[in-house]
Every structure is written in structure tokens, then in C-alpha cells.
Amino acid sequence: MRCRNTCKIRVLCSVDRVNDAILLDAEPKVQETIDTNVRIVPVGLGARSYDIVIGDGLLRQSRNLISTRHSAHRCAIVTDANVAGLHLESLKQSLGDICAGVVTLDPGEGTKSFYELGPLCERLLELGIERGDLVIAFGGGVIGDLGGFAASILRRGVNYVQVPTTLLSQVDSSVGGKTGINTPQGKNLIGAFYQPRLVIADTELLETLPERQFRAGYAEVAKYGLLGDADFFGWLEQNWRNVFTGGPERIHAIEMSCRAKAAIVQADEREEGRRALLNLGHTFGHALEAFAGYSDRLLHGEAISIGMTMAFEFSNELGLCSGQDSQRAVRHLEACGLPTRVEQIPGDTPTPDQLLKLMAQDKKVRSGVLTFILVRGIGEAFIEGGVDMSKLQDFLTRKCN
Ligand code: GLY
């Protein structure tokens, strides 16, 4: 079902970049015409504030959405071949003569590397992208992270807009300014915190997303309920089917996720504390992803679903969280068709030692000590710096058999 309310209204947007050369207006009062089914989530970071605009069919309004917030005369699109085949024409048409060119990369995690970063930056320079122009990162998490990182180093920083095309990137990776690339030593170990100027989350683009990808992205939606909002989690338990089929519930779930993320990013932009909560399920999950070779064997969201299950079950074993809450969390992930057990990963199963070694690569490790995001219940995640390693080893031994 698609809800399209055509009633037009005037809204005020929260653009507030007082120190910025691209400033349109120092006051938060940029006006635009949008339909009432469009949601705007402001990310308040002072001079680096921006809006996340969420709604059906926004790609066709890209130029309007950008030009009401940004005075750029030129932009370059960075995308991948899959997204280009499906949606590039629509974005180009909307941008019209401000589009200086397109850089189309191979799809997949392998693109997020030094080998692609160099030629991408050179291509953007060839297209004449200057300070004050825009890079538009048009794709899923890989393109968002790579395009954002290229923007952060090009001419010591040019502005960029995220146009995320997957559920996972709409609710997580496009928001909050984490950009970067992978190296053989691990995922996202090179990068920068560099905020976009705008996020355009066109929910219509999710119609072409393969179901498995959508489901994996949903794990990150459930994450926001599980980590900090028991009411939202309860709502998801009732409404997840409608989130999967589309319509107003889907837009609501994306909006709630972006609001939760924006609140955390506003409180702790550079992950010096609270932002680490967004990594619920990620210490276990990243290790599983690395074990599976960052391949189709296990998508990121699937790894996070197993990882969140492990975080709840480990918290329960440590006496921190009730069995009832732990089972409730796992039941919901299973109901949505997400994997929750290590043995559901196709192929061989990791040994506990393999997982521990991979966990030691986690970015939250400080002086060799692992930090975990554990839970006291649904919606009550917290950061735990001193996990008993022998209990962890016992737990992993049971989970990996
Ligand atoms: N995806 C976790 C973060 O943005 O902090």
C-alpha cells in the first residue's frame, strides 16, 4: 500500500550554518513546498546542522530540496552500477544543469578501498568540483561511506549530500557523518567524521531493493527500539509487517530510527561515549561478518541480528537482563525472518577463539580491553567496559557449537 498525500504545505527547515560560506540564510527559516507525508528530522550540530528529509518520491524533488538549503551551482554524483541502472536518470533529470557528471563504481564492499578512493578523488577534480560545490553520494552504505570520505579530503573538504538507497543506509549509515574505507586490517579503520549537508531518504527507492537486503536493513530499525526505546520496539512488534510492505508505517519506522540516531549523534558526534550504544550487536556481529569474509554469506544486518541476540543472551547470562526480555527480542527478530544463531550462517562455523581474535579488531577496543554494549532490558542498552573474559569464552563456546 502506498500513502500519497498530495496536499501541499509550507514548512520551515532547520538550516543553521552561521559560519559557513554556503549559507543561504543565517536564520533557520528556509522555506520549501512539500507534501504532508514528507518528514523532516533535523540533526542539530550547530554550524554542521542538517536535515534528513524522508518520504516517497523525493528523488524527483532533489534539486528543490538541495537548492532550498544550498547555493551550490555544480554537483557530481557518486554511485554504483546497480543503483545507476535503476535510478540515476531520475536523479539526473531532477538536478538538471547543476549536474557536472557522474562517477559510477562497482557495487560491493570491495569498492570501499584505497584503490577506488584515489581514482574517485581524481575524477571529481577532473569534473571541476570545487569548494562550495557538492558531491552527491547516491547509493547504499558503501557509496555513502566512500563518497563522504572522498568529499572530506577533496580540496580539504567539499560539501556533500547523502541520497541513501537502501533501508540500512536510510536509517543508519547516511546519518551522523561516519565516512571511511576498509583495509586488509579491518572494516572502516580509515575514515573521518564528516557531516553531510543534507540527507534525502526517498522511501520509494526501497521498492526495488531485494527482499533479503530490506530484511537485513530492518535489523538496524529494530536496533533503535532494542537499545533505547521500548515503546518503539512494542510498536514494531505490532506493525513490522506493514513496515515491510510499505506505506505510512514504513515512513514512520524510518523517521523514528533517524530521530533516535540524530539524538545520539547530537549528544556525542565523535563517539566519545553514548554514540557507542549504536553498536548494539556490532561487537559480535562485526566478528561474524569478518569470519564470513564480508560476503553474501552474511549481510551486515544479518550479522547484527545474530549479534543483538548474543548481546541479549549474554546480558541474561550475566544476570543483567531478564530471560523474558531476552526471549522477546529474539522472537521478534526471528518473526521477521532474520537469523539469530551462529549456525544459521551458511558454511563452516567459527570457533570461539576465532571470534575472540576477530573481536579484538573492534574499534571500541582500548588497551586491549573489549567494550560491549549490553542490556538491562528492552530499550535499556548500556556500555560495559569490563566484561569477564572467562564468562565470554564460555558463552562463545556454547554459541559456536
Ligand atoms: N552506525 C553507528 C554510528 O553511526 O555510530
Side-chain angles (χ1 to χ4, degrees):
M1 180 183 68
R2 169 137 332 137
C3 170
R4 192 184 286 283
N5 186 339
T6 51
C7 165
K8 303 287 180 187
I9 55 168
R10 306 282 284 177
V11 294
L12 302 184
C13 301
S14 57
V15 174
D16 154 35
R17 291 188 189 119
V18 278
N19 298 322
D20 201 320
I22 63 135
L23 185 71
L24 285 174
D25 189 338
E27 294 299 311
K29 61 182 181 201
V30 176
Q31 293 206 329
E32 65 187 337
T33 305
I34 57 170
D35 68 50
T36 49
N37 208 27
V38 172
R39 315 289 168 84
I40 296 179
V41 177
V43 184
L45 289 169
R48 296 179 308 289
S49 296
Y50 54 95
D51 287 333
I52 307 163
V53 190
I54 304 158
D56 243 8
L58 293 182
L59 203 58
R60 294 186 290 276
Q61 300 176 42
S62 305
R63 176 138 180 193
N64 183 35
L65 291 168
I66 290 170
S67 62
T68 48
R69 294 168 173 80
H70 198 296
S71 60
H73 298 301
R74 292 161 60 75
C75 61
I77 301 169
V78 180
T79 190
D80 73 32
N82 288 344
V83 173
L86 292 164
H87 305 295
L88 182 61
E89 269 324 299
S90 174
L91 178 59
K92 276 171 69 180
Q93 246 179 37
S94 171
L95 294 174
D97 59 4
I98 65 166
C99 181
V102 181
V103 186
T104 305
L105 302 167
D106 287 339
E109 195 68 34
T111 293
K112 240 176 84 174
S113 70
F114 272 125
Y115 304 101
E116 297 290 342
L117 179 69
L120 167 60
C121 289
E122 288 182 15
R123 188 72 193 110
L124 291 169
L125 291 172
E126 280 163 15
L127 289 172
I129 295 302
E130 299 172 353
R131 282 207 183 151
D133 292 338
L134 273 182
V135 170
I136 298 184
F138 182 42
V142 166
I143 291 296
D145 286 7
L146 177 69
F149 188 41
S152 80
I153 55 176
L154 199 74
R155 300 183 193 275
R156 298 204 173 98
V158 302
N159 300 309
Y160 77 111
V161 170
Q162 290 275 17
V163 186
T165 57
T166 62
L167 180 60
L168 188 133
S169 56
Q170 292 191 353
V171 298
D172 186 22
S173 60
S174 70
V175 176
K178 276 191 181 174
T179 70
I181 54 171
N182 305 325
T183 60
Q185 289 75 19
K187 224 179 146 179
N188 298 329
L189 294 181
I190 307 285
F193 286 100
Y194 192 64
Q195 300 295 339
R197 298 296 172 164
L198 169 69
V199 179
I200 302 173
D202 182 348
T203 47
E204 196 175 286
L205 304 184
L206 303 178
E207 300 294 330
T208 55
L209 197 63
E211 197 183 324
R212 184 178 169 202
Q213 294 276 354
F214 187 91
R215 196 181 305 283
Y218 180 84
E220 298 278 1
V221 175
K223 180 187 79 176
Y224 291 108
L226 290 172
L227 78 86
D229 189 341
D231 289 346
F232 180 48
F233 184 75
W235 183 88
L236 287 173
E237 285 177 310
Q238 300 300 317
N239 293 284
W240 67 270
R241 284 183 188 79
N242 292 340
V243 175
F244 274 61
T245 50
E249 285 88 355
R250 179 182 286 179
I251 294 181
H252 177 72
I254 294 172
E255 179 190 2
M256 290 295 287
S257 302
C258 289
R259 283 196 190 283
K261 178 140 191 190
I264 290 180
V265 167
Q266 280 164 201
D268 177 22
E269 184 182 1
R270 298 177 68 85
E271 200 169 308
E272 280 150 354
R274 202 170 135 64
R275 184 163 178 171
L277 293 176
L278 294 171
N279 292 322
L280 175 63
H282 284 58
T283 309
F284 293 115
H286 276 160
L288 293 170
E289 248 188 306
F291 174 77
Y294 301 109
S295 65
D296 270 6
R297 238 178 108 188
L298 186 67
L299 302 180
H300 175 72
E302 294 168 343
I304 296 320
S305 175
I306 302 175
M308 290 193 295
T309 299
M310 292 171 92
F312 268 84
E313 291 180 344
F314 189 43
S315 301
N316 175 236
E317 283 200 14
L318 294 175
L320 298 164
C321 160
S322 72
Q324 209 178 13
D325 270 12
S326 169
Q327 284 154 21
R328 189 176 152 203
V330 180
R331 253 199 321 271
H332 179 60
L333 298 170
E334 282 172 353
C336 301
L338 281 159
T340 56
R341 310 268 154 223
V342 173
E343 66 265 21
Q344 285 173 281
I345 304 170
D348 51 339
T349 304
T351 65
D353 281 349
Q354 275 175 316
L355 275 193
L356 272 177
K357 225 178 242 152
L358 290 165
M359 282 184 200
Q361 276 294 342
D362 192 272
K363 285 187 296 306
K364 297 187 295 306
V365 171
R366 296 272 185 281
S367 314
V369 177
L370 279 170
T371 300
F372 275 86
I373 312 305
L374 298 179
V375 287
R376 296 198 176 86
I378 305 267
E380 292 178 66
F382 67 99
I383 303 164
E384 174 59 71
V387 163
D388 181 328
M389 288 309 279
S390 68
K391 286 189 176 154
L392 177 63
Q393 200 131 22
D394 285 353
F395 175 75
L396 290 178
T397 304
R398 271 173 285 114
K399 291 297 150 191
C400 294
N401 282 319

